[in-house]
Amino acid sequence: MAAFKELVFSGVQPTGNLHLGNYLGAITKFVTLQESHDCIYCVVDLHAITVPQEPLTLTNNIREVTAAFIASGIDPKKHIIFNQSQVPEHAELAWVLNCTARLGWLNRMTQFKEKAGKDRENVSVGLYAYPTLMAADILVYRATHVPVGEDQKQHLELARDIAQKFNNDFADSIASHGFGEEFFPSPEPLIQGPATRVMSLRDGNKKMSKSDPSDYSRINLTDDADAIATKVRKAKTDPEPLPSEEKGLETRPEADNLVGIYAALSETTKAAVLAEFGSAQFSTFKSALVDLSVAKLGPIGGEMKRLVADHSYIDSVLADGSERASVLARRTMNSVKDVLGFIRR
Ligand code: AQP
């Protein structure tokens, strides 16, 4: 494989109710990776409109995700934070990749099947084409590493297939333009740790999700200490005390989920949590989880609220990030046009 400079890219949709799953599955990884890599973090507003959005709410949600990135510790000066719609090359490359991806590949995407449900004929074409836009988001920067939650694994695999097919389809043109053997890297998913799929607090078999109608199913990043405490105390559990070994969690999805959340928040493993809380009752464990969650999330939620109110600061971060992202994206898009045989200015 050709050598590509390591670069991290990931995105979060501004669809409201940013939750603990988004935080543990994605945003905490973003924060860690900025110590070792150049990183580009995107508020993917073009993805958000694949389902209906109210314009004023969307604007607020774009600011809220941006605030969450900064409040969690991402440095917008050292790295790039921006919103997708300010860099038109995402949509431009997505069209090219729509012509590379095969219908059969997209037909296999489980997220589309889940989100479209029985009303398939009535969902937007954008919802169906979502994964090719996601591939474009990553490949327009030729990013090599993508931290995401477990639910995005299939889309990442598709992005790799699209990159490889583009490299194969245009191999001769890629070589003749001096780009070597591979134009796009095969982006690697980074899905690690004890909370890659945080589950609903009401149902251990369902993903914690922004769109769940029950607010008790998730901990929102902007929840205050009382709300966090109430939600954790009400979280569904079973009557048994906690096991001492991870194997004992296998048939207990709710217990597994809470232990995973505790492990991720305290930056340890499920085994270590069980070594401490094995044979404890849930009442004891939940009290500790409330304290830990409030200590970790309280300051982030407070800072998010402060930042969100400062529109001019947030908008200036996005403008600055978009300018820097545009330079990189334009470079790739110009090369793509050369490879395809388009005439450009
Ligand atoms: N429950 C989760 N556990 C771990 N990671 C998660 N992510 C989402 N939910 C969980 C990860 O968060 C990042 C941003 O997700 P997104 O906002 O782009 O899209 P999403 O996966 O559609 O978010 P939701 O909350 O699940 O929204 P709805 O309700 O619309 O389906 C991604 O890296 C994702 O993996």
Side-chain angles (χ1 to χ4, degrees):
M1 193 180 111
F4 289 91
K5 184 178 172 287
E6 291 203 351
L7 179 68
V8 170
F9 176 92
S10 196
V12 173
Q13 294 191 76
T15 38
N17 298 329
L18 215 52
H19 55 70
L20 187 63
N22 302 129
Y23 179 68
L24 294 178
I27 300 173
T28 53
K29 312 283 172 58
F30 300 179
V31 177
T32 308
L33 283 161
Q34 65 173 348
E35 302 305 328
S36 53
H37 288 77
D38 288 332
C39 303
I40 303 178
Y41 296 129
C42 186
V43 185
V44 287
D45 46 14
L46 297 177
H47 284 277
I49 61 162
T50 55
V51 294
Q53 300 294 333
E54 202 285 307
L56 281 180
T57 311
L58 180 61
T59 308
N60 288 334
N61 288 338
I62 292 169
R63 293 197 178 112
E64 191 181 86
V65 175
T66 311
F69 286 171
I70 300 168
S72 301
I74 297 164
D75 183 340
K77 289 212 169 8
K78 289 204 184 118
H79 302 275
I80 294 178
I81 294 178
F82 75 108
N83 59 316
Q84 192 184 21
S85 60
Q86 294 207 55
V87 181
E89 285 79 4
H90 287 244
E92 202 178 358
L93 182 59
W95 178 256
V96 173
L97 301 184
N98 274 336
C99 300
T100 302
R102 304 292 91 182
L103 211 58
W105 299 358
L106 284 170
N107 284 340
R108 286 197 283 276
M109 295 298 112
T110 54
Q111 182 173 294
F112 175 75
K113 288 181 195 161
E114 280 160 20
K115 292 205 168 177
K118 292 199 173 69
D119 201 19
R120 234 174 146 146
E121 298 294 308
N122 267 326
V123 296
S124 72
V125 174
L127 189 68
Y128 184 75
Y130 182 114
T132 52
L133 177 59
M134 179 166 156
D137 298 336
I138 300 161
L139 297 176
V140 84
Y141 302 102
R142 302 210 222 174
T144 55
H145 293 82
V146 187
V148 280
E150 169 75 32
D151 58 325
Q152 292 299 331
K153 191 166 178 240
Q154 194 185 32
H155 288 166
L156 244 305
E157 280 160 8
L158 183 81
R160 292 165 67 89
D161 289 344
I162 292 173
Q164 269 166 27
K165 182 161 165 52
F166 185 93
N167 290 341
N168 291 338
D169 288 353
F170 298 101
D172 291 346
S173 184
I174 289 167
S176 73
H177 282 91
F179 296 122
E181 279 181 22
E182 289 181 321
F183 183 80
F184 288 125
S186 283
E188 235 181 84
L190 299 174
I191 306 173
Q192 291 142 355
T196 55
R197 189 174 178 84
V198 176
M199 307 310 275
S200 159
L201 299 180
R202 309 300 285 162
D203 178 351
N205 293 305
K206 234 170 94 185
K207 193 183 77 134
M208 185 178 285
S209 151
K210 295 172 185 149
S211 57
D212 194 311
S214 168
D215 199 48
Y216 284 102
S217 68
R218 66 182 159 260
I219 295 175
N220 302 308
L221 292 187
T222 48
D223 280 344
D224 61 21
D226 285 347
I228 293 174
T230 310
K231 288 176 179 182
V232 171
R233 292 211 178 94
K234 277 184 180 285
K236 186 176 169 201
T237 46
D238 55 50
E240 302 298 317
L242 281 171
S244 304
E245 308 279 333
E246 257 186 281
K247 205 166 165 30
L249 294 172
E250 274 171 12
T251 50
R252 300 173 64 187
E254 284 84 14
D256 186 37
N257 189 39
L258 294 184
V259 170
I261 291 172
Y262 192 101
L265 283 173
S266 55
E267 294 171 46
T268 177
T269 58
K270 288 187 197 176
V273 175
L274 294 179
E276 188 180 345
F277 289 99
S279 75
Q281 297 296 329
F282 272 107
S283 52
T284 310
F285 180 63
K286 281 181 170 180
S287 289
L289 184 55
V290 167
D291 291 346
L292 179 63
S293 306
V294 169
K296 288 277 174 175
L297 303 179
I300 294 172
E303 181 64 357
M304 273 175 73
K305 285 181 194 146
R306 190 187 70 77
L307 288 168
V308 148
D310 191 348
H311 292 185
S312 65
Y313 171 67
I314 293 287
D315 295 0
S316 73
V317 166
L318 293 173
D320 173 64
S322 299
E323 250 175 63
R324 289 188 284 140
S326 284
V327 174
L328 305 173
R330 205 168 303 132
R331 199 180 298 153
T332 305
M333 202 56 223
N334 281 342
S335 303
V336 166
K337 287 180 180 173
D338 291 344
V339 165
L340 292 171
F342 290 168
I343 296 170
R344 62 181 177 91
R345 277 172 294 175

